[in-house]
Amino acid sequence: MLRKKTNGVARTTQRASLLSAVAEKTVDRRAFLRGSGLAIGGLTALGVTGGTVTKADAQESVARAVDAVKTVCTHCSVGCTVVAEVDNGVWIGQEPGYDSPFNLGAHCAKGASVREHAHGERRLKYPMKKVAGEWVRISWEDAINEIGDKMLSIRDESGPDSVYWLGSAKHNNEQAYMFRKFAAYWGTNNVDHQARICHSTTVAGVANTWGYGAMTNSYNDIHNSKAIFIIGGNPAEAHPVSLLHVLKAKEENNAPLIVCDPRFTRTAAHADEYVRFRPGTDVALVWGLLWHIFENGWEDKEFIRTRVWGMDQIKEEVSKWNPAEVERVTGVPEAQMERVARTLVNSRPGTVIWCMGGTQHTNGNNNTRAYCILQLALGNMGVSGGGTNIFRGHDNVQGATDLGVLSHDLPGYYGLTDGAWGHWCRVWGEDVAWLKDRFATGKDADGKDISLMNTNGIPVSRWIDGVLEDKENIDQPDNVRAMVLWGHAPNSQTRMTEMKTAMEKLDMLVVIDPFPTVSAVLHDRTDGVYLLPATTQFETRGSVTASNRSIQWRDQVVAPLFESKPDHVIIAKFANKFGFADRLFRNIEMEDAETPNIESITREFNRGMWTVGYTGQSPERIKSHMANQHTFDKTTLRANGGPCDGDYYGLPWPCWGTPEMKHPGSPNLYDISKHVKDGGLPFRARYGVERNGENLLAEGTYTVGSEIQDGYPEFTMQMLMDLGWDGDLTAEERDTIMGIAAEKTNWKTDLSGGIQRVAIAHGCAPYGNAKARCVVWTFPDPVPLHREPLYTSRRDLVEDYPTYEDRKLYRLPTMYASIQKNDFSQDYPIILTSGRLVEYEGGGDETRSNPWLAELQQEMFVEMNPRDANNLGVRDGGMVWVEGPEGGKVKVKALVTERVGAGVAFMPFHFGGHYQGQDLRSKYPAGSDPYVLGESTNTAQTYGYDSVTLMQETKATLCKISAA
């Protein structure tokens, strides 16, 4: 419901009039426009002028030109350029970036309204805390002192792991890097961000198949696809501008678009072939396609022979998935499966696209590996128009993942081994022993003391269990007692009834965000809650990584509004309070005592992130790309002349070596048709050189110009010496290498970049030349298997396809079989799934606080099939209760539609501010409640976590629906 919640002073007369027209009532779009007295054109004009039309003053206009500032949209991962029009420090309008290779002058509804985020009246305006149940304004100094004192007290009593630092995909790269470094200096791996609950199973599955856990090609490279296979993704709503690239291939190449989804989405509406399948059966579906491919000998045999290991074991598993079994499990008939398989075979190269529909499952890592194996079987990897184009969710969820805001990793995916910490301590100039003393000590499986510095922390998906689980069952000294939610929407997580309990049990809850979020209102706390206003990304500057691994630069549009502070300044405030700011920033230039220089932070991670090639993208190179977008080809992404000639837009990682090497970036991973110095790469040699006597290195294939014309392992100093190439090193490079680990120094830990430079000069990839592997022997399921969801409606399949046994992961006991053994299907017969809407993003706090978006979608709803609705006596538009088997329930409006099949219900996950029928609007700080509130689907969503990453399962639980 749109409401007017101001202090009575209108921002502008016209804006106040507009909001008055919709106050206290729900209206449709036509009524909204009619009530505001605006035609469509008038609405657009109002957005551009900021709500006022003033008399032009020609003399003033000539005297003061309007500045055009380039920034990047803060919503999805496409990376659309926004050109902000700024007049005397005021953001007065915006245009899409017509020169941008990504958005090509287009915006979706969210992108077109981002200006409102930096001017929105629902923003948190100053620090606040709860006192006796009321929100009270406090100063930044008091807030940092009070929070810091309490944290230090908890640290003394319970250890550093009792404070959980939850970061954000909304940090820019520099802030994400500083956040992870800050957590290390605090002494904990209890640090994570949204990637855990959106694409952690992608990163794990894909990285363990061919080396890097990221999108292999790009949105633009889809222009070259001859087929497009989308599974578990709805880019028309989640990544709307990406459809420009998809539809270009569909129309110009006559590329068939195949969409596999339990729900007929807006993306499916564009499809040549729509495949409806039962939620949670992705592996069975892909194996069903491969059954036809193998049965007919349609696989790319030469590609498999030379560049793939383990496909024989895949064939053995796939042989079990004959058409009858596939239909029994997935619901997809044989004729359609055969037709889709034939289409993919006859339309190569084709690309595979997936999103969270494939990742958010208890066997999500199996799903993502199955998608990869399909592409390997077809020979669609390492080619333009092929690849796995994984659409990430938030604007910098790729960058925040790369920069290590994770409970199991350090920046650059180095892991948590002593070697990894040693590498980063060399970059930081830090004493490893001092840093290790910051961490607590735990026990290993044999009862021996171990440093928690080397053990995975608790992931964000399970922080509530870090609070609620019995202390004796957690592999750390004490429970989580203080929670910092920094740029995070808690309603994006499952089990919200237990989350409410956890929030109330904490000693302290700290929310750092431009908006109060559901964290401010879900609980019934009367004290111990702090709200600290962070700026949006439009009020700071820095780099951000799009889904295709390209790095762009945001210039600052406006100064921080109200009393908000940029994330890196807030980090510095806490570091000063905790007494380690001098060590944290020792190699970083400071603009003042609380403002680290952003470009200096970029240069620090440039010096350390050799694994993924975040070393060649200096601030100067990234900024030059933004300034010269018009010189880049809109399909190949390569600059044709100009200052960036030969570079690929955004220097997509890996961008090898130092900035001085001028590597152009790697547009399509694993493409051996190019020299490595021009962006070519083989598969990464990450898993050794042989397995059970079988060769894991490539056989007779190599990148153009390689002097080693076969497979080879990753490069070390010893390998350079053996090849006689060490003489190509400069004296300075050699000294650096010998000072690290002498001949054992490898391409990942050489701070000089010399090993990478020399390997590439000889046409070789620093990380080696191996086969992709279809079998991951370190995973619970080495060969991807179909396993029924914990809460399944198909009890007849549980015996054949059971889940895992209960186990301990990431410091916590994790349940699988002990849940699945119970039959909930009789009382909760409908499968519940969730997804995105085009109008909102993430937990929705920003977008539901934006009047231009809020008026487009004013109510939370559940989609249900007419058959189910009729059987339950539910009418379209009626209010219903949706209840999950763990007791959480939501009261929402029924949308009766054929979009979902019988026995399946869908809810969007962007809503919050209602809880089990209760309206929580009165609990927000005055004037900061979003225009639109609603129930969160995750109140009804249930327990369930991936067996490798603890990704939450939100796409295949159960529910029951009844009229309210």
Coordinates of all heavy atoms in Angstrom, one line a residue, residues 252-294:
E252 N 18.5 -12.7 -35.4 CA 19.4 -12.6 -36.5 C 20.0 -14.0 -36.8 O 20.4 -14.2 -38.0 CB 20.5 -11.6 -36.1 CG 20.1 -10.2 -35.9 CD 21.2 -9.2 -35.7 OE1 22.4 -9.7 -35.6 OE2 20.9 -8.0 -35.5
N253 N 20.2 -14.9 -35.9 CA 20.7 -16.2 -36.1 C 19.7 -17.3 -36.3 O 20.0 -18.4 -36.6 CB 21.7 -16.6 -35.0 CG 22.8 -15.6 -34.8 OD1 23.1 -14.8 -35.6 ND2 23.5 -15.8 -33.6
N254 N 18.4 -16.9 -36.1 CA 17.3 -17.8 -36.0 C 17.6 -18.9 -35.0 O 17.3 -20.1 -35.2 CB 17.1 -18.5 -37.4 CG 15.7 -19.1 -37.5 OD1 14.8 -18.7 -36.8 ND2 15.6 -20.2 -38.3
A255 N 18.3 -18.5 -33.9 CA 18.7 -19.4 -32.8 C 17.5 -19.8 -32.0 O 16.7 -18.9 -31.5 CB 19.7 -18.7 -31.9
P256 N 17.2 -21.1 -31.9 CA 16.1 -21.5 -31.1 C 16.3 -21.2 -29.6 O 17.4 -21.4 -29.1 CB 16.0 -23.0 -31.3 CG 17.4 -23.4 -31.8 CD 17.9 -22.2 -32.6
L257 N 15.3 -20.7 -29.0 CA 15.4 -20.3 -27.6 C 14.6 -21.4 -26.8 O 13.3 -21.5 -27.0 CB 14.8 -18.9 -27.3 CG 14.7 -18.5 -25.9 CD1 16.0 -18.5 -25.1 CD2 14.0 -17.1 -25.8
I258 N 15.3 -22.1 -26.0 CA 14.6 -23.2 -25.2 C 14.6 -22.8 -23.7 O 15.7 -22.5 -23.2 CB 15.4 -24.5 -25.4 CG1 15.5 -24.9 -26.8 CG2 14.8 -25.6 -24.5 CD1 16.5 -25.9 -27.2
V259 N 13.5 -22.7 -23.1 CA 13.4 -22.3 -21.7 C 12.8 -23.5 -20.9 O 11.7 -24.0 -21.2 CB 12.5 -21.1 -21.6 CG1 12.3 -20.7 -20.1 CG2 13.1 -19.9 -22.3
C260 N 13.6 -23.9 -19.9 CA 13.1 -25.0 -19.0 C 12.9 -24.4 -17.7 O 13.8 -23.9 -17.0 CB 14.2 -26.1 -18.9 SG 14.8 -26.8 -20.5
D261 N 11.6 -24.5 -17.2 CA 11.3 -23.9 -15.9 C 9.9 -24.5 -15.5 O 9.1 -24.7 -16.3 CB 11.1 -22.3 -16.2 CG 11.2 -21.5 -14.9 OD1 10.3 -21.7 -14.0 OD2 12.2 -20.8 -14.8
P262 N 9.8 -24.6 -14.2 CA 8.5 -25.1 -13.7 C 7.3 -24.1 -13.9 O 6.2 -24.5 -13.9 CB 8.7 -25.3 -12.2 CG 10.2 -25.5 -12.0 CD 10.8 -24.6 -13.1
R263 N 7.7 -22.9 -14.2 CA 6.7 -21.8 -14.3 C 6.9 -21.2 -15.7 O 8.0 -21.0 -16.2 CB 7.0 -20.8 -13.2 CG 6.1 -19.5 -13.2 CD 6.4 -18.7 -12.0 NE 5.8 -17.4 -12.0 CZ 6.4 -16.3 -12.2 NH1 7.8 -16.3 -12.5 NH2 5.8 -15.1 -12.3
F264 N 5.7 -20.9 -16.3 CA 5.7 -20.2 -17.6 C 6.0 -18.7 -17.3 O 5.1 -17.9 -17.0 CB 4.4 -20.4 -18.4 CG 4.5 -19.9 -19.8 CD1 5.0 -20.6 -20.8 CD2 4.0 -18.6 -20.1 CE1 5.1 -20.2 -22.1 CE2 4.0 -18.1 -21.4 CZ 4.6 -18.9 -22.4
T265 N 7.3 -18.3 -17.5 CA 7.7 -17.0 -17.1 C 7.6 -16.0 -18.3 O 7.3 -16.4 -19.4 CB 9.2 -17.0 -16.7 OG1 10.0 -17.5 -17.8 CG2 9.3 -18.0 -15.5
R266 N 7.9 -14.8 -18.1 CA 8.0 -13.8 -19.2 C 9.1 -14.2 -20.1 O 9.0 -13.9 -21.3 CB 8.2 -12.4 -18.6 CG 7.1 -11.9 -17.8 CD 7.2 -10.4 -17.5 NE 6.1 -9.9 -16.7 CZ 6.0 -8.6 -16.3 NH1 6.8 -7.7 -16.8 NH2 4.9 -8.3 -15.6
T267 N 10.2 -14.8 -19.6 CA 11.2 -15.3 -20.5 C 10.6 -16.5 -21.4 O 10.9 -16.5 -22.6 CB 12.4 -15.8 -19.7 OG1 12.9 -14.8 -18.9 CG2 13.5 -16.3 -20.7
A268 N 9.9 -17.4 -20.8 CA 9.3 -18.5 -21.5 C 8.4 -18.0 -22.6 O 8.2 -18.7 -23.7 CB 8.5 -19.4 -20.6
A269 N 7.8 -16.8 -22.5 CA 6.9 -16.3 -23.5 C 7.6 -16.0 -24.8 O 7.0 -15.9 -25.8 CB 6.2 -15.0 -23.0
H270 N 9.0 -15.8 -24.7 CA 9.8 -15.6 -25.9 C 10.3 -16.9 -26.5 O 10.9 -16.9 -27.6 CB 11.0 -14.7 -25.6 CG 10.7 -13.3 -25.2 ND1 10.3 -12.4 -26.1 CD2 10.6 -12.7 -23.9 CE1 10.1 -11.2 -25.5 NE2 10.2 -11.4 -24.2
A271 N 10.0 -18.0 -25.8 CA 10.7 -19.3 -26.2 C 10.1 -19.9 -27.5 O 8.9 -19.8 -27.7 CB 10.6 -20.3 -25.1
D272 N 11.0 -20.6 -28.2 CA 10.6 -21.5 -29.3 C 10.1 -22.8 -28.7 O 9.3 -23.5 -29.3 CB 11.7 -21.7 -30.3 CG 12.1 -20.4 -30.9 OD1 11.4 -20.0 -31.8 OD2 13.2 -19.9 -30.6
E273 N 10.7 -23.2 -27.6 CA 10.4 -24.4 -26.9 C 10.3 -24.2 -25.4 O 11.4 -23.8 -24.8 CB 11.4 -25.5 -27.2 CG 11.1 -26.9 -26.6 CD 10.2 -27.8 -27.5 OE1 10.5 -27.9 -28.7 OE2 9.3 -28.4 -27.0
Y274 N 9.2 -24.4 -24.8 CA 9.1 -24.3 -23.3 C 8.9 -25.7 -22.7 O 8.0 -26.4 -23.1 CB 7.9 -23.4 -23.0 CG 7.5 -23.5 -21.5 CD1 8.5 -23.1 -20.5 CD2 6.3 -24.0 -21.0 CE1 8.2 -23.2 -19.2 CE2 6.0 -24.1 -19.7 CZ 6.9 -23.7 -18.8 OH 6.6 -23.8 -17.4
V275 N 9.8 -26.0 -21.8 CA 9.8 -27.3 -21.1 C 9.4 -27.1 -19.7 O 10.2 -26.5 -18.9 CB 11.2 -27.9 -21.2 CG1 11.1 -29.3 -20.5 CG2 11.6 -28.1 -22.7
R276 N 8.2 -27.5 -19.3 CA 7.8 -27.4 -17.9 C 8.2 -28.7 -17.2 O 7.9 -29.8 -17.7 CB 6.3 -27.3 -17.8 CG 5.8 -26.9 -16.4 CD 4.3 -27.0 -16.1 NE 3.5 -26.1 -16.9 CZ 3.3 -24.8 -16.6 NH1 3.8 -24.3 -15.5 NH2 2.5 -24.1 -17.3
F277 N 9.0 -28.6 -16.1 CA 9.4 -29.8 -15.4 C 9.2 -29.6 -13.9 O 9.1 -28.5 -13.4 CB 10.8 -30.2 -15.7 CG 11.9 -29.2 -15.2 CD1 12.7 -29.5 -14.2 CD2 12.1 -28.0 -15.9 CE1 13.7 -28.7 -13.7 CE2 13.1 -27.1 -15.4 CZ 13.9 -27.5 -14.4
R278 N 9.2 -30.7 -13.2 CA 9.0 -30.6 -11.7 C 10.1 -30.0 -11.0 O 11.3 -30.3 -11.3 CB 8.8 -32.1 -11.2 CG 8.4 -32.1 -9.7 CD 8.0 -33.5 -9.3 NE 9.0 -34.5 -9.4 CZ 9.8 -34.9 -8.4 NH1 9.8 -34.3 -7.2 NH2 10.7 -35.8 -8.6
P279 N 9.9 -29.0 -10.1 CA 11.0 -28.4 -9.4 C 11.9 -29.4 -8.7 O 11.4 -30.3 -8.1 CB 10.2 -27.5 -8.4 CG 8.9 -27.2 -9.0 CD 8.5 -28.5 -9.7
G280 N 13.2 -29.1 -8.8 CA 14.2 -30.0 -8.1 C 14.6 -31.2 -8.9 O 15.3 -32.1 -8.3
T281 N 14.3 -31.2 -10.2 CA 14.7 -32.4 -11.0 C 15.6 -32.0 -12.1 O 15.6 -32.7 -13.2 CB 13.5 -33.1 -11.5 OG1 12.7 -32.2 -12.4 CG2 12.6 -33.6 -10.4
D282 N 16.5 -31.0 -11.9 CA 17.3 -30.5 -13.0 C 18.3 -31.6 -13.5 O 18.5 -31.7 -14.7 CB 18.1 -29.3 -12.5 CG 17.3 -28.2 -12.1 OD1 16.4 -28.4 -11.2 OD2 17.4 -27.1 -12.6
V283 N 18.9 -32.3 -12.6 CA 19.9 -33.4 -13.0 C 19.2 -34.4 -13.8 O 19.7 -34.8 -14.9 CB 20.6 -34.0 -11.8 CG1 21.5 -35.2 -12.2 CG2 21.4 -33.0 -11.0
A284 N 18.0 -34.8 -13.4 CA 17.3 -35.8 -14.2 C 17.0 -35.3 -15.6 O 17.1 -36.0 -16.6 CB 16.0 -36.2 -13.5
L285 N 16.6 -34.0 -15.7 CA 16.3 -33.4 -17.0 C 17.5 -33.4 -17.9 O 17.5 -33.8 -19.1 CB 15.8 -32.0 -16.8 CG 15.3 -31.3 -18.1 CD1 14.0 -31.8 -18.5 CD2 15.4 -29.8 -17.9
V286 N 18.7 -33.0 -17.4 CA 19.9 -32.9 -18.2 C 20.4 -34.3 -18.6 O 20.8 -34.5 -19.7 CB 21.0 -32.1 -17.4 CG1 22.3 -32.1 -18.2 CG2 20.6 -30.6 -17.2
W287 N 20.3 -35.2 -17.6 CA 20.7 -36.6 -18.0 C 19.8 -37.2 -19.0 O 20.2 -38.0 -19.9 CB 20.7 -37.4 -16.7 CG 21.9 -37.3 -15.8 CD1 22.0 -38.0 -14.6 CD2 23.1 -36.5 -15.9 NE1 23.2 -37.6 -14.0 CE2 23.9 -36.7 -14.7 CE3 23.6 -35.6 -16.8 CZ2 25.1 -36.1 -14.5 CZ3 24.8 -35.0 -16.6 CH2 25.5 -35.2 -15.5
G288 N 18.5 -36.8 -19.0 CA 17.6 -37.2 -20.0 C 17.9 -36.7 -21.4 O 17.8 -37.4 -22.4
L289 N 18.4 -35.5 -21.5 CA 18.9 -34.9 -22.8 C 20.1 -35.7 -23.2 O 20.3 -36.0 -24.4 CB 19.2 -33.4 -22.6 CG 18.0 -32.5 -22.4 CD1 18.5 -31.1 -22.1 CD2 17.0 -32.5 -23.6
L290 N 21.1 -35.9 -22.3 CA 22.3 -36.6 -22.6 C 22.0 -38.0 -23.0 O 22.8 -38.6 -23.8 CB 23.3 -36.5 -21.5 CG 24.0 -35.2 -21.3 CD1 24.9 -35.2 -20.1 CD2 24.9 -34.9 -22.6
W291 N 21.0 -38.6 -22.5 CA 20.6 -40.0 -22.9 C 20.4 -40.1 -24.4 O 20.9 -40.9 -25.1 CB 19.4 -40.5 -22.1 CG 19.1 -41.9 -22.4 CD1 19.5 -43.0 -21.6 CD2 18.3 -42.5 -23.4 NE1 19.0 -44.2 -22.2 CE2 18.2 -43.9 -23.3 CE3 17.6 -41.9 -24.5 CZ2 17.5 -44.7 -24.1 CZ3 16.9 -42.7 -25.4 CH2 16.9 -44.1 -25.2
H292 N 19.7 -39.1 -24.9 CA 19.4 -39.1 -26.4 C 20.7 -38.8 -27.1 O 21.0 -39.3 -28.2 CB 18.4 -38.0 -26.7 CG 17.0 -38.4 -26.3 ND1 16.2 -39.3 -27.0 CD2 16.2 -38.0 -25.2 CE1 15.0 -39.5 -26.3 NE2 15.0 -38.7 -25.3
I293 N 21.5 -37.9 -26.6 CA 22.7 -37.5 -27.3 C 23.7 -38.6 -27.3 O 24.3 -39.0 -28.4 CB 23.4 -36.3 -26.5 CG1 22.5 -35.0 -26.8 CG2 24.8 -36.0 -27.0 CD1 22.9 -33.8 -25.9
F294 N 23.9 -39.4 -26.2 CA 24.8 -40.5 -26.2 C 24.2 -41.7 -27.0 O 25.0 -42.4 -27.7 CB 25.1 -40.9 -24.8 CG 25.9 -40.0 -24.0 CD1 25.7 -39.8 -22.6 CD2 26.9 -39.2 -24.6 CE1 26.5 -38.9 -21.9 CE2 27.7 -38.3 -23.9 CZ 27.5 -38.1 -22.5

